[in-house]
Structures are given as structure tokens and as C-alpha cells.
Amino acid sequence: ADPAMCSHSRRAQLRLCLERLKGLVPLGAAAGRHTTLSLLTRARLHIQKLEDLERRALHQIEQLQREQRHLQRQLEKLGMERVRIDSIGSSLSSERSDSDRGESPGGGTASGRSG
């Protein structure tokens, strides 16, 4: 392989990578006239900004997950309370039906008399 040819293809590859990088990095007003150094500096700053945003987003996700677990526990607690209230309600209604049953034999004798 010709060393000059390798060097040329390496430069072409670098140019292509820099063009791709230009498309990924917000350059603002200086988009037209940038040096390789300024492009790489912008890229580094952009990456740092993205990493910072990612850290903040992860922190927010953790907070929301904690809040979700807390709310889930409260919901379960409310569910258990409702079950308890429902069971109290059903035991009250079963007591009421017992007293209703106590009166029904009298009603039964009345219907028996008529028959």
C-alpha cells in the first residue's frame, strides 16, 4: 500500500467524520466558518451538556420512582382499609338480615293462616 494513498484516505475519512460531527453538534451562527479545533471544542461542550441533562433526567426518574412506590403503598393501605370497611358493612348487613329472619316466622304463620 502506498503511504501517500493511506494518508489521503485517512484525511478523507477525517473530513467525512468532521462533516458528520458538524451535523450532530449545534454550531449556531459560526456554522459556516469553523476550524477543526472549534468544532471539536463545541462537540466536547455539547457532550458535557448532554451528560448533564442525562444525569438530571436519571435523578428525576429516581425521584418519580420513589414517589410512585410511596403512592403505591398508600393505595394498598387504602385498599386494605376499604376491605375492612366492606367487611364491617357486610357483617352489619348480615346482622340486619338475621333480625329480618327473626320476624319472618310471624309473617310465615300469617300466610299459613290465610292458606
Side-chain angles (χ1 to χ4, degrees):
D2 182 13
M5 195 64 172
C6 283
S7 156
H8 176 72
S9 78
R10 237 193 331 268
R11 268 198 304 272
Q13 179 70 27
L14 182 61
R15 231 188 343 267
L16 183 69
C17 289
L18 287 171
E19 282 305 309
R20 281 199 198 136
L21 189 60
K22 217 191 301 180
L24 296 170
V25 178
L27 294 168
R33 37 187 193 78
H34 67 83
T35 62
T36 302
L37 178 62
S38 70
L39 175 60
L40 292 172
T41 304
R42 286 282 184 122
R44 184 176 59 85
L45 291 171
H46 185 59
I47 289 167
Q48 285 174 338
K49 189 172 130 188
L50 291 175
E51 285 173 342
D52 187 44
L53 285 172
E54 186 184 24
R55 260 195 309 275
R56 271 191 242 159
L58 288 171
H59 179 66
Q60 198 172 11
I61 286 170
E62 283 172 19
Q63 270 186 313
L64 289 170
Q65 283 174 338
R66 276 197 299 273
E67 195 177 333
Q68 185 185 22
R69 283 193 298 271
H70 173 68
L71 290 171
Q72 194 71 46
R73 281 194 301 270
Q74 281 188 319
L75 188 63
E76 284 166 11
K77 214 185 291 178
L78 285 172
M80 285 189 283
E81 281 178 26
R82 206 177 77 205
V83 166
R84 215 176 64 232
I85 289 166
D86 288 353
S87 69
I88 290 168
S90 67
S91 69
L92 285 175
S93 68
S94 71
E95 281 172 25
R96 228 176 279 128
S97 66
D98 286 350
S99 64
D100 291 349
R101 249 180 262 126
E103 291 165 12
S104 69
T109 53
S111 65
R113 251 184 263 130
S114 66

